[in-house]
Amino acid sequence: MISPKLKSDAIPQVVALVEQIEVRCDGWAENLTLLGSTHDVAVWGVLTQIIDLVEQQIKQFGHGSQQQREAMISLGRAGARLLGKICAMKLSRGDSWLRWTSELRESTKQAVLAAHNCEAFVGCFVTWHQNRRAVEILSPTRLRFSIPPSQMERRIQAYQQGRRIPGWPSTADNPVHKSFVNEPDVNRLLEGLCHRITLEGALAIRYPDDSELLSFLRDIHYEKLQRAFRRDPRLDLGGYDLAAFRQFFAVLESLCAVHEYICDFWAKRCGRYPFESAVLVKPVSEWVGIVKSLCSLNENQIRLMLSDLTFGRIRPLDIYIHPFVPSHDSHRLFLIPHIILNSRPEENILRVCSYARPQCHRPIANAKEEEMREGIKKVCPDRYSVFGPLKLPDPKLPDIDIIIKDSVASQLLIGELKWLRKPTRVIDHAEKDAELEEGFRQLRAIRAFLAQFPHYLQDRTIVEREEDSFNLSFVVVARDHLSYAAQPDDLWLAEFDALAWALGNSSNLKDCISKLQTFEWLPVEGRDFVVKFESATLAGETIECEVFHSR
């Protein structure tokens, strides 16, 4: 056994062993029984298996539980990896008889578990190569990966995975409550629809569309999306704007909410879940028709939105990002309703747009700073003044993105705003960390300029002459991604929601800064989360890695 080593500190023999295991695991899908199926059976089977696994979490921990959400996030990535492999294998068209047989259940369970374990292997190997995890050799076929022993890094990682301190408010960035529709009219219509379910087989059911019920739900979900979306609804995504996408997604959520409810009702009534009806399967024309009947969008917009959310539109990343999976001939689209109801649609469609139409995404990315600044202004107490952006006289210098002023406490908070796209792949973390480092570089340049020209803020009427004794503090305000890096010199890092929380829970700006700098907003290990080593096996090799769990 060799003590944990980063790659940069490991001897050549250790590096060689890790890389040998990594190469052997690249063939993780070679012996999957599922790959002997036809394309549509394999795709439908994988999606049905994911629903089965999600329903097991719901049965054990409850609908909307943290355990369900965590399982779905993991299955979303693993599912995309497996579906990508199925598409790359170019399985035959063959018979598309979709039946949830015991053979298909076992083959899809084996395949989804392998893809899930592959995600763990990829995450460990990538972070090992980036010197973000250390490896310990337990045996020639068993490795243990661990994050270097820094409590701050563990707390930041826990925060990034959604763990929060007690009493943390539900935010658009990190919603903690699942909205259940409980309206008298909706309940009445649902009860009536349940009486119209017909049995199509041992594990299959059918029910008619109810336009009145769907219209009620559409309006409810649209209002919810209005509150949850963080960006300007006028943003042009290329062929439609964000407001149009909200209409589209509200209809999708309504369809999926009804379907999930009906399947759950039938399972409770009959004692068996209708797995052969669990995945929504419709021709593209039918998807277009039902969405069009429930909103004001035209057919071309609906087809483009469906295309943008269809697997294969961009490289495989996550079922949450491209939830519609096409049949072999692309005439039908398969959909897991649970995914739609638990996704972050705004973030996902913007990510698709960044890949599919980068020319449209550039203005969206450029607007992020202003939207962060406006968001801070909305939550900033009236006793503070907010300024920015301020352009410095030297074009080589960065702008000052935001200044928060507390005249009573003689305090200025000077911030660099960084709204980073949340990484979906482990390999992307290094790139996002580099963007944060750039934020610190910009802050150093701003600090040096203000030290050289101490009257600049007075000349811009940010500070009056008699207020020249202000204390200055410099912060990078990050959104959607935090860095493991230590805070350099007297510059520091705060998360956007944490800044909003501290502004509203402090007596003055000095107190606010103290709460942020002492990391009161980060979860505490043992109180808010626990970390356990869990194992995964692939191609005869086993790894152990740290997994973060809520308390």
Side-chain angles (χ1 to χ4, degrees), residues 141 177 375 428 483:
T141 60
H177 299 297
D428 297 329
S483 174

Side-chain angles (χ1 to χ4, degrees), residues 36-51:
S37 306
T38 61
H39 179 276
D40 287 2
V41 169
V43 166
W44 177 82
V46 166
L47 299 180
T48 304
Q49 178 63 236
I50 290 174
I51 291 176

Side-chain angles (χ1 to χ4, degrees), residues 255-420:
L255 291 167
C256 291
V258 170
H259 190 74
E260 188 178 352
Y261 181 92
I262 292 295
C263 290
D264 182 64
F265 167 82
W266 190 261
K268 290 175 179 175
R269 174 180 169 180
C270 300
R272 58 180 182 273
Y273 197 86
F275 285 111
E276 290 180 5
S277 301
V279 176
L280 282 165
V281 183
K282 300 179 187 292
V284 175
S285 59
E286 188 175 336
W287 282 112
V288 173
I290 193 168
V291 173
K292 190 172 186 297
S293 70
L294 289 165
C295 67
S296 61
L297 303 173
N298 64 54
E299 182 173 326
N300 289 336
Q301 288 178 310
I302 296 169
R303 286 187 178 274
L304 180 55
M305 292 182 209
L306 281 172
S307 173
D308 282 348
L309 294 183
T310 295
F311 198 87
R313 183 72 171 92
I314 59 174
R315 65 186 181 187
L317 293 170
D318 194 314
I319 296 179
Y320 277 106
I321 296 171
H322 25 60
F324 288 94
V325 185
S327 60
H328 187 277
D329 58 11
S330 298
H331 290 166
R332 295 184 297 172
L333 293 177
F334 303 88
L335 179 68
I336 298 176
H338 305 65
I339 292 292
I340 293 295
L341 295 171
N342 290 274
S343 68
R344 300 179 68 179
E346 182 185 45
E347 178 182 314
N348 294 338
I349 197 61
L350 290 176
R351 190 181 299 273
V352 171
C353 181
S354 72
Y355 286 107
R357 293 180 291 280
Q359 74 280 5
C360 294
H361 187 260
R362 277 191 287 271
I364 296 173
N366 293 338
K368 284 183 173 182
E369 178 190 308
E370 178 61 25
E371 292 178 28
M372 283 185 73
R373 187 163 38 246
E374 289 303 311
I376 292 171
K377 288 180 180 179
K378 287 180 181 179
V379 301
C380 213
D382 293 339
R383 61 182 179 273
Y384 302 144
S385 302
V386 182
F387 307 91
L390 277 70
K391 189 172 289 294
L392 299 183
D394 186 343
K396 296 179 181 178
L397 292 174
D399 296 344
I400 299 177
D401 292 341
I402 193 168
I403 298 177
I404 302 176
K405 174 184 174 183
D406 182 349
S407 296
V408 176
S410 298
Q411 181 71 54
L412 291 179
L413 181 60
I414 297 175
E416 183 68 25
L417 304 178
K418 293 293 181 183
W419 191 342
L420 308 177

Side-chain angles (χ1 to χ4, degrees), residues 89-230:
M89 295 291 290
K90 299 188 182 302
L91 303 182
S92 66
R93 179 174 180 174
D95 184 11
S96 59
W97 193 59
L98 306 178
R99 291 293 181 267
W100 192 232
T101 63
S102 58
E103 292 80 9
L104 185 59
R105 181 187 291 111
E106 288 306 310
S107 64
T108 53
K109 184 176 181 181
Q110 175 208 26
V112 171
L113 178 60
H116 175 271
N117 287 350
C118 185
E119 284 292 303
F121 273 74
V122 169
C124 287
F125 287 131
V126 167
T127 48
W128 151 257
H129 290 303
Q130 293 176 340
N131 286 307
R132 294 165 65 97
R133 284 185 195 257
V135 70
E136 182 180 0
I137 298 176
L138 303 181
S139 78
T141 60
R142 193 178 190 95
L143 306 177
R144 174 180 289 168
F145 291 90
S146 58
I147 299 170
S150 162
Q151 282 300 316
M152 188 55 61
E153 290 182 3
R154 293 164 79 89
R155 294 176 69 189
I156 288 175
Q157 183 166 342
Y159 187 92
Q160 291 184 144
Q161 293 187 23
R163 279 67 186 176
R164 297 294 185 266
I165 63 174
W168 190 265
S170 179
T171 66
D173 290 2
N174 190 71
V176 296
H177 299 297
K178 179 177 174 62
S179 299
F180 294 96
V181 174
N182 187 20
E183 297 282 339
D185 289 328
V186 171
N187 294 338
R188 171 180 56 82
L189 292 168
L190 277 172
E191 183 179 355
L193 185 58
C194 288
H195 290 304
R196 289 181 282 167
I197 302 172
T198 56
L199 188 63
E200 297 289 310
L203 297 174
I205 58 173
R206 184 184 296 274
Y207 59 91
D209 289 331
D210 187 324
S211 58
E212 185 181 7
L213 171 60
L214 292 172
S215 296
F216 269 118
L217 286 170
R218 174 204 60 203
D219 294 342
I220 293 169
H221 283 286
Y222 185 78
E223 291 181 9
K224 183 193 73 172
L225 291 173
Q226 279 188 307
R227 296 190 298 270
F229 276 34
R230 306 179 290 181

